[in-house]
Amino acid sequence: MSLSKHTADHFVRALAEECQRTMKHLRVPGYPRPYYLSYLLRDIHTTQVWGRLGNINHMSDQDTRNLYCDCRVGSYHYDHVTEGGLDDNDPESDTYEHVEMPVGNDPDALKYHVWKLTDGRYREAVRHYLRKKSHHITYLDPNRSIPSFSRAKAIVDLRIRRFPPVNLNEWREFVNRSSRVIKDHPEVKNSWVEIRVRDTTRMFVNSEGSRIIDQQRICELGCDLWLLTASGEGIRAHIAHVTTDLGELPTLRSFIREIRHRIRLLRELAHAPTLKSYAGPVLLAPGPAGILFHEVLGHRLEGSRLLSTREGQTFKRDVGKPILPPMFTVVDDPTRPASSGLRTVGSYRYDDEGSPARRALLVDRGKLVGFLGGRSPVRSGQAGNGHARNEYHERPISRMANLVVTAESGVSHVELKRLFLDQIRRQKLPFGIMILEAEGGETATEAYDFQAFMGSISLAVQVWADGRENPVRNVNFVGTPLSALRTVVAAGDTSVCDNAFCGAESGSIPVSTTCPAILMSNLELQASDQRKYTQYVLPMPFEKEALARRAAVERQRRRRRKG
């Protein structure tokens, strides 16, 4: 069950008492004392139903709690945190085992675990502070003139609401019935359907006097399908719906239609050609275009990376300079609860450092104007904008939340397709590539590595110069950020919001990206993993019956057409 107002207030009070007690008594002669302390308690209620082929494999309804403790030693101007906090995520640290909190409602039990975690975090902070001081005897600190942490006014906001209950039996039937249809398609060798609803209540207190409660529900409905071709190549299709409202998830009937459509698409892809490599015009649908902006631009505008000497810092000195065509404006706005008709999972009232969420203007008509920031300033005098986020034990760093890409003078899909064909003919290429769906991506931002990105394509179409189209498979888009951004030549007039999760140094967090389709004059594609598997030795137990049923349905359809 979701946390009650009475229990949440009890926990906030207990955390505040421990915070005050610690700041008063935690001191060791000869060593720096804490100048700032905060606690972030997450109460998480998760409902999950997972099954395949008309049966339930796993069903649970459980509560968990975890605590992030930020104990800073030194001063606001100079403390123990290094490299923008990117390294403060070690699961091998001494305090990792104390992150889990009891799920009961006894404040004293909570206080005991808070004490254990705080004591360990202080010891770690002192070690890191002394190591940082000794490091700077030999090496220059490029951030020495920038304060380590910014002061903030106390915020008290204890609003709370009860999440509507999740009908476990209803979703069990949903998973049973939707997964059962896959049983009629024995060519799909592996599959599952899952519904997961996670209700999170975040309770935050700090030594500056803040007392905050913020909440979020995330609903995930997914289906995974895997087909093994006659030549031994595994082809995967994934359906994912992520939102903050159960009412926005598809109905059983529409979800079954979606599954059947994906299976037909898998069969078609099994006979589609593969591409080893390609460079030329690419038209990206809104979803893949959003992934490209997320990987190429978004991660490089996270302010914490500008505080790390190991990061490439691609755009650090480009404020005021054009980095995109002048048609584009990019913002990240966690205060926006919905975008393009869909509720955004990247929205929140307060970030994980207790700062109010703020709209951050990043690119204004092609020119870079700002970065995503938390309470660790990127430059002297620059305020953060409420984008410090973490998942579990990791230090919150500046992360994307609700990235929105808009384009002036966007054109219709028909016009965008015409411009795409013009690019193919102008470059005298036999075909171009249209990327309709992508499942995610990754990027390298560290200085020692190649400054590159990759997007995992799940559905692409080869578009020939004469307008013919056919699907292709086993290909990903790749490139380097600066060259990729310079090849954007046009954008669509319709934006789509995509909810997903982003993994980085501070964990996996929910993010939303809203973007129109974009046309690029040049983007490189490379072959994806094409490992081949042997066929199964035994046929599936119900394979003959399933094929017979499908043949009977096809015969009946043909009779209806003739009649």
Side-chain angles (χ1 to χ4, degrees), residues 283 328 407-413 416 490-495 516-519:
L283 176 57
F328 286 104
E408 292 182 357
S409 306
V411 299
S412 68
H413 176 70
L416 203 58
D493 61 359
T494 303
S495 293
I518 62 169
L519 172 61

Side-chain angles (χ1 to χ4, degrees), residues 5 20 195 392 407 445 448:
K5 170 68 172 170
Q20 293 169 1
I195 175 72
Y392 185 63
T445 60
Y448 80 89

Side-chain angles (χ1 to χ4, degrees), residues 385-518:
N385 43 45
H387 279 79
R389 307 178 68 195
N390 75 335
E391 178 189 11
Y392 185 63
H393 70 289
E394 311 89 349
R395 176 171 299 284
I397 63 173
S398 49
R399 300 282 296 276
M400 286 172 280
N402 188 7
L403 195 71
V404 181
V405 180
T406 56
E408 292 182 357
S409 306
V411 299
S412 68
H413 176 70
V414 173
E415 177 63 13
L416 203 58
K417 191 80 171 291
R418 186 190 68 79
L419 294 173
F420 177 42
L421 290 171
D422 285 347
Q423 282 286 334
I424 297 170
R425 294 162 187 155
R426 186 177 299 121
Q427 296 183 35
K428 297 181 180 179
L429 295 173
F431 62 84
I433 299 294
M434 186 161 54
I435 301 175
L436 301 179
E437 296 179 11
E439 290 187 2
E442 58 183 285
T443 188
T445 60
E446 292 188 329
Y448 80 89
D449 208 347
F450 298 105
Q451 292 295 298
F453 64 88
M454 185 188 77
S456 300
I457 299 171
S458 52
L459 182 58
V461 174
Q462 197 172 21
V463 181
W464 298 86
D466 59 7
R468 289 179 295 120
E469 298 181 6
N470 61 268
V472 291
R473 59 185 171 90
N474 291 346
V475 66
N476 294 324
F477 64 80
V478 295
T480 53
L482 294 178
S483 61
L485 294 176
R486 289 169 182 157
T487 68
V488 179
V489 294
D493 61 359
T494 303
S495 293
V496 173
C497 177
D498 182 43
N499 288 327
F501 293 86
C502 171
E505 290 87 347
S506 63
S508 178
I509 58 173
V511 295
S512 304
T513 307
T514 303
C515 190
I518 62 169

